[in-house]
Amino acid sequence: MEAGYNPRTVEEVFRDFKGRRGGLIKALTTDVEEFYQQCDPEKENLCLYGFPSEQWEVNLPAEEVPPELPEPALGINFARDGMQEKDWLSLVAVHGDAWLLAVAFYFGARFGFDKSDRKRLFNMINELPTVFEVVTGAAKKQQKEKSSVSNHSSNKSKSNSKMRASDASEKVLKLQPKDEEEGLDDEEEDEHGDTLCGTCGENYASDEFWICCDLCEKWFHGKCVKITPARAEHIKQYKCPSCSNKRSRP
């Protein structure tokens, strides 16, 4: 669909970024009902694409390996029914922001942008509210605080992410009450030591984040199934990739 389209200057890459960003914002705001319907959890892994024309599309990932451009987050449809709609849309928005930067700096690397070009491109991008800020309404609140928003939001997000990770770990790993007593007894330690990750097969470790599938009841490293503590906090019923793929078959 975009074959042969290659922005080569900072200004062209920025226009490309703005168009794709506009498409994502449209999908997550004005066209949100249509976007929601297209992200059927019963379908295969789906991605949200934004195009320079400010259009959007929900589709399967590119078949080429490696792809011509960086790919958006995979499988956004699987989490749709396991979260509050606003939380799900916010999650898609965050991944959309990461994808937009990846595409912009892919062009920058491909066409030899130097340090000053990359800095100028990022400063132009940074003047725009993120997709996440637009979708959550934070952009309007921050318009009057442009000078201090960068440091403030950075510090706030760090503290919030730590708190969410802690809360989510307690929720998902409720079988391991680490701090209730001075330590677990030998039987409990042995029990958890025998737990193996359903993806990589490695043993349980108390310093790692784990999550259990509500269907097959297997445990997984969060990193192996790409679930963070913050995301786990919003998931009512977690389905591992294997169980999700079973559901998607006719």
Side-chain angles (χ1 to χ4, degrees):
M1 187 175 295
E2 295 177 79
Y5 176 77
N6 288 312
R8 293 174 179 269
T9 68
V10 171
E11 288 73 23
E12 287 175 346
V13 172
F14 180 61
R15 282 198 297 273
D16 179 271
F17 176 92
K18 282 177 65 178
R20 295 177 192 275
R21 171 182 172 274
L24 298 190
I25 291 174
K26 188 181 295 184
L28 298 172
T29 55
T30 55
D31 296 347
V32 68
E33 290 185 12
E34 182 182 352
F35 170 68
Y36 187 90
Q37 290 173 358
Q38 289 190 27
C39 290
D40 185 350
E42 298 293 333
K43 294 182 179 179
E44 297 293 331
N45 292 298
L46 295 175
C47 302
L48 172 61
Y49 294 88
F51 298 110
S53 60
E54 296 191 21
Q55 299 302 308
W56 60 272
E57 178 182 63
V58 170
N59 209 338
L60 295 170
E63 294 182 2
E64 300 90 355
V65 178
E68 183 179 353
L69 291 176
E71 283 288 294
L74 182 67
I76 56 172
N77 50 315
F78 292 150
R80 191 194 74 176
D81 292 347
M83 305 172 67
Q84 294 288 333
E85 182 177 344
K86 63 181 180 63
D87 293 329
W88 175 68
L89 292 173
S90 298
L91 181 66
V92 175
V94 167
H95 283 292
D97 284 316
W99 174 68
L100 289 172
L101 280 175
V103 172
F105 279 80
Y106 165 83
F107 284 132
R110 182 173 179 182
F111 296 111
F113 287 9
D114 60 19
K115 182 178 180 180
S116 62
D117 286 337
R118 293 193 301 271
K119 184 177 181 180
R120 187 155 64 92
L121 174 60
F122 181 78
N123 287 340
M124 293 167 74
I125 290 172
N126 206 35
E127 287 298 309
L128 297 172
T130 64
V131 177
F132 175 81
E133 288 170 341
V134 173
V135 170
T136 60
K140 295 180 181 178
K141 298 177 185 176
Q142 294 176 359
Q143 281 177 350
K144 297 180 181 179
E145 304 171 1
K146 275 190 176 180
S147 59
S148 62
V149 69
S150 179
N151 291 335
H152 177 70
S153 62
S154 175
N155 294 335
K156 185 178 179 183
S157 64
K158 285 179 182 176
S159 62
N160 283 350
S161 64
K162 288 179 182 177
M163 182 171 64
R164 286 196 301 269
S166 174
D167 292 343
S169 296
E170 290 175 9
K171 174 185 175 185
V172 177
L173 298 177
K174 55 190 174 185
L175 297 179
Q176 292 84 35
K178 290 190 290 183
D179 299 324
E180 261 182 36
E181 301 174 359
E182 300 236 336
L184 293 168
D185 60 39
D186 292 339
E187 290 183 6
E188 287 176 320
E189 287 182 352
D190 290 342
E191 178 187 348
H192 300 311
D194 292 338
T195 302
L196 301 178
C197 173
T199 297
C200 70
E202 292 186 5
N203 289 70
Y204 166 81
S206 60
D207 61 344
E208 295 180 301
F209 174 72
W210 285 61
I211 187 167
C212 182
C213 175
D214 288 310
L215 296 185
C216 67
E217 297 186 348
K218 291 182 181 178
W219 285 86
F220 300 86
H221 287 107
K223 63 185 179 183
C224 289
V225 290
K226 298 182 180 178
I227 298 290
T228 63
R231 180 177 173 187
E233 189 178 4
H234 299 291
I235 298 177
K236 293 180 181 178
Q237 183 186 50
Y238 173 67
K239 297 181 285 293
C240 69
S242 177
C243 291
S244 295
N245 287 336
K246 288 177 185 176
R247 289 190 59 201
S248 66
R249 294 180 190 138

